[in-house]
Amino acid sequence: MRQGITPAEALRIVLEHAPPLGAETTSVSDARGRVLAEGVRSARRLPPSDNSAMDGFAVRSADLASASAERPVTLEVIGEIPAGGSSELTLRAGEAARILTGAPVPPGSDAVVMQEDTARDGDRVTIGISPQPRAHIRDAGEDVEIGDQVLEAGALVGPAEIGMLASLGRSVVSVHRRPRVAILSGGDELVEPDGDTSGGRIVASNSYSIAAQCLEVGAEPVYLGIARDTPEDIERHLRAGLRADVIVSSAGVSVGDRDYVRGVLEKLGCSLLFWGVKMKPGYPLTFGRFEAGDGPIAFGLPGNPVSAMVTFEQFVRPALRKMAGRRSLFRPTVRARLADRLHKQSDRLHFVRVDLEREGDEIVARSTGNQSSGVSRSMLLARGLLIFPAEIHELRKGDTATVQILDEDFLAPPTPAFS
Ligand code: AMP
Ligand code: MG
C-alpha cells in the first residue's frame, strides 16, 4: 500500500481501478444522461421520401420556365396532399397539386412553389415565379441514409440523441450500467436526522451529502446505515455493500484508537492501494479494491463533512463518471483573481472553498471564511474549490489561481446570448 501520495497520484490509481461498467438495456425515454454502450446504425432513411418543405403547390418546374410576375402561368389543381397523406396522384404537364409541409411530393413533380407566391381560384392556380428544380423539396435520406452510423458508442445521451433514436424507431438502447454505491457512516456519536442529539451526538449527515453527490452524477446510492465503532459492527454493515460497484464509507480511517475501517476492509478481502493523500482537507483518504471476481472498489473518506465532500469531489466523482462510461470526468475550471491573501504552512495541496464573482471580464475568488474541515458552512457557500498548490505557501491578493467550478450555474451568463 502506498502512503502519503500526491492527489495526482491518488487520482491516477483510482481511475486505473474504475473501468466502465458493462451494458444494460434501457428504454429510450429513460436514457437521458446515460452513455451508449452500442453504436447505432440506421435501418431507415430520414426523411423516408422526398417531401415538401412548405405549404404550397407541387409543380413541374418546366411548366413554369417562362413564368414571371408580368407573365404568370396558370396550372390545373388536380388534388391535395396533406402531411402524412399518400397520394395516388401523378402530375402531368400543366398540372399542380396542393401540398402541405412534410407531405410526400407526388411523382411527376420536381418543385414546390410556396403558397405566398400563388393565387388560387377554384381548381386553378396562377403562379408568377419560375422555381428551380428541387425548390422547397427535402430529399429522401438527406438527414440519414440506411446504414449510416448515426451515434457512436460512448456518446452521452441527451435530448438530440433521444429524438434521433425515436426517429429511428428504437424503443430500447444499450447503455453502460449506472454505478451502485453503498454508503456507510461510522461512529458511536452518529444518529439519523430524526435521532436524539443529546450527549454530544450528531447527525450522520455525510451519508446524505454523499448520496446526493452520487445522484448528481447519475449513480445509484444504497444506504448501509450507521455502524458503531466496533470492528464487528463495521464488518456487518460493510458486508451488505459487497455486491455494490463502489463502497463509500466515511470516518474511522484516521489514526484514532477506534479507526477500524481500514482493518475491516482488509479482513473482508479488500487490498488497500493507498492511505493518506497530501491534501487538505482530506489527508486520511483510503482506497482499495476487492480482488474477488467483480468485487467493488472501496473509498474510506475522512469523517469531517467538508473532508468527505471534497474527497468525494476529487476522487469518487471522476471514478463514478468513468464507470458510467462518461468521457469527460472532471469539473470545469476557470482562472480567478484572489480577493485576499492566502497562506499556508503545509506542503499539501489545499482545496480552498471560495465564493466567485464576476468583475468585468475577470472572475474574483474570495475565501468562504473559516476553512476548518468541520465547518460545513464553508462548503455551503462555496461556488468553487481553489487549487492552492502544494509547493506554494503564499498567494497574494490579486494573484490568479485555478478554481474548480462546483456551481456550474456560475458559468451561466446573466443575460441572453443574443440581443
Ligand atoms: P473520525 O474520522 O471518526 O475521527 O471522524 C471525524 C469527524 O467527523 C468527527 O468529528 C465525527 O463526528 C465526524 N463525522 C464522522 N462521520 C460523520 C458523518 N457520517 N456525518 C457527519 N459527521 C461525521
Ligand atoms: Mg469516529
Side-chain angles (χ1 to χ4, degrees), residues 185-186 189-190 202-207 250-254 259 302-305:
S185 278
E189 75 283 26
L190 301 177
I202 59 164
V203 172
S205 61
N206 287 351
S207 290
S250 64
V253 286
S254 208
D259 289 340
N304 278 308

Side-chain angles (χ1 to χ4, degrees), residues 131-191:
Q132 295 291 314
R134 309 301 297 170
H136 301 311
I137 292 178
R138 303 190 285 219
D139 296 337
E142 75 175 17
D143 189 354
V144 175
E145 277 293 356
I146 292 172
D148 278 358
Q149 174 91 25
V150 185
L151 298 168
E152 304 282 346
L156 177 63
V157 179
E161 286 74 17
I162 288 183
M164 177 57 77
L165 288 163
S167 294
L168 297 180
R170 295 287 300 260
S171 57
V172 295
V173 67
S174 175
V175 293
H176 288 281
R177 260 191 333 102
R178 258 201 284 256
R180 274 166 51 86
V181 185
I183 300 170
L184 177 66
S185 278
D188 286 340
E189 75 283 26
L190 301 177
V191 296

Side-chain angles (χ1 to χ4, degrees), residues 216-238:
E216 212 182 36
V217 291
E220 189 188 322
V222 181
Y223 186 59
L224 299 183
I226 300 171
R228 298 292 134 215
D229 274 329
T230 65
E232 296 73 29
D233 204 40
I234 295 169
E235 178 177 338
R236 188 170 67 81
H237 281 82
L238 279 179

Side-chain angles (χ1 to χ4, degrees), residues 292-366:
D294 52 359
I297 55 174
F299 293 89
L301 308 186
N304 278 308
V306 176
S307 312
M309 285 194 80
V310 170
T311 49
F312 186 106
E313 267 294 328
Q314 304 311 320
F315 305 102
V316 188
R317 183 180 188 274
L320 294 179
R321 285 173 73 98
K322 185 159 176 242
M323 294 170 93
R326 295 292 293 267
R327 291 184 187 136
S328 82
L329 305 181
F330 309 117
R331 293 278 194 190
T333 58
V334 295
R335 294 289 292 175
R337 200 166 286 287
L338 265 80
D340 306 291
R341 171 178 178 265
L342 291 175
H343 64 102
K344 64 176 166 74
Q345 245 105 58
S346 82
D347 291 324
R348 299 179 187 173
L349 189 161
H350 283 204
F351 293 89
V352 183
R353 277 78 74 207
V354 292
D355 192 10
L356 297 171
E357 239 174 335
R358 288 179 192 279
E359 282 182 14
D361 286 344
E362 275 188 353
I363 296 171
V364 176
R366 185 172 275 105

Side-chain angles (χ1 to χ4, degrees), residues 270-283:
C270 181
S271 310
L272 296 182
L273 296 166
F274 65 77
W275 171 48
V277 180
K278 288 193 252 170
M279 61 188 281
K280 190 177 175 188
Y283 186 86

